[in-house]
Amino acid sequence: AQKITQTQPGMFVQEKEAVTLDCTYDTSDPSYGLFWYKQPSSGEMIFLIYQGSYDQQNATEGRYSLNFQKARKSANLVISASQLGDSAMYFCAMVGNTDKLIFGTGTRLQVFP
Amino acid sequence: DTEVTQTPKHLVMGMTNKKSLKCEQHMGHRAMYWYKQKAKKPPELMFVYSYEKLSINESVPSRFSPECPNSSLLNLHLHALQPEDSALYLCASSQDRRGTGRHSNQPQHFGDGTRLSIL
């Protein structure tokens, strides 16, 4: 069975600072993918970044980067230069050898001026 | 604006009503999904369609009936719902990974959701 764990229910960060959102996972599938999504209060789920289990390098997308440590089964999201618009719920998710995307419980990020 | 369009954005219905949620995408994706999300919880997968065929049903009650008329459209027919069915219903689509033999590396693209309230 696959499992995603996000241990931070809420995080605060000051504008322009960097923040790391934690995600650990468990799976027996040899091939899997890890995704991060942002969900503002309006409800839409916005795809941010993807990391494949066989990728040698950590994924980066603009201000988002993924700190992938396969041996530790962690895939932490790093947001650099936080902006007020980054305030939202952030979900880590995994897909294995099925089409099922399994989500963690989420971390609510609040960026303050 | 998202590339996956869901209608209506809000729906209030009684327990005896019949209504439908609609989802449309024009990205050429061949996999489409329905999720249910309760407040302050992560989305939970309900159904997956691959090439217009139902491939996954996560033991969803029969009062929820999905339909995929073509590769761009996904419907969710609702009948005799219960108050606990009140939630945000999200539709998503992605490239299908059929034949690759590996996990899907294609992100799912979500719509804005339909906020459903059952009276």
Side-chain angles (χ1 to χ4, degrees):
Chain A
Q2 297 175 340
K3 186 177 181 181
I4 292 279
T5 302
Q6 294 181 256
T7 57
Q8 305 157 315
M11 290 285 286
F12 288 88
V13 66
Q14 190 167 28
E15 201 175 6
K16 301 180 184 178
E17 297 294 312
V19 63
T20 298
L21 307 184
D22 295 342
C23 173
T24 59
Y25 61 91
D26 192 20
T27 181
S28 57
D29 291 338
S31 172
Y32 53 89
L34 296 155
F35 300 83
W36 277 92
Y37 284 86
K38 171 185 177 182
Q39 188 175 38
S41 56
S42 51
E44 75 271 26
M45 296 284 283
I46 303 167
F47 165 69
L48 296 178
I49 195 166
Y50 159 81
Q51 180 84 44
S53 56
Y54 293 116
D55 293 343
Q56 297 296 313
Q57 292 189 325
N58 287 343
T60 61
E61 288 286 349
R63 294 187 298 110
Y64 305 108
S65 60
L66 206 151
N67 183 1
F68 181 48
Q69 298 189 45
K70 193 171 182 178
R72 293 186 176 185
K73 295 188 175 181
S74 72
N76 298 340
L77 177 71
V78 180
I79 305 175
S80 62
S82 297
Q83 303 171 357
L84 295 177
D86 293 335
S87 294
M89 181 71 86
Y90 288 80
F91 289 100
C92 180
M94 162 193 280
V95 66
N97 290 333
T98 68
D99 289 324
K100 296 183 181 181
L101 188 62
I102 307 298
F103 288 87
T105 51
T107 297
R108 179 162 297 282
L109 176 66
Q110 295 190 53
V111 182
F112 59 94
Chain B
D1 289 342
T2 62
E3 297 174 12
V4 177
T5 303
Q6 289 188 244
T7 56
K9 293 191 181 302
H10 301 274
L11 179 62
V12 180
M13 58 186 287
M15 289 189 285
T16 59
N17 291 156
K18 286 185 179 180
K19 296 286 185 182
S20 296
L21 308 186
K22 297 185 182 300
C23 175
E24 187 170 4
Q25 58 89 13
H26 294 287
M27 294 179 283
H29 292 167
R30 303 308 296 270
M32 296 187 75
Y33 313 79
W34 279 114
Y35 289 85
K36 174 183 178 181
Q37 186 178 22
K38 300 286 281 185
K40 300 183 180 181
K41 297 290 187 181
E44 296 178 351
L45 183 65
M46 299 175 72
F47 303 103
V48 179
Y49 273 83
S50 177
Y51 288 82
E52 294 98 67
K53 294 190 184 301
L54 183 65
S55 60
I56 295 177
N57 177 343
E58 288 288 276
S59 302
V60 179
S62 60
R63 58 186 184 268
F64 294 92
S65 176
E67 178 196 19
C68 190
N70 60 56
S71 59
S72 300
L73 294 175
L74 185 66
N75 298 323
L76 186 63
H77 302 298
L78 314 173
H79 175 55
L81 294 194
Q82 303 298 308
E84 61 265 27
D85 296 323
S86 297
L88 178 68
Y89 288 83
L90 292 163
C91 172
S93 70
S94 71
Q95 296 284 359
D96 191 87
R97 68 172 186 94
R98 180 183 296 187
T100 66
R102 296 184 61 179
H103 72 270
S104 174
N105 62 358
Q106 298 298 315
Q108 293 182 19
H109 296 263
F110 286 79
D112 291 347
T114 295
R115 293 193 184 275
L116 177 65
S117 297
I118 307 300
L119 300 179

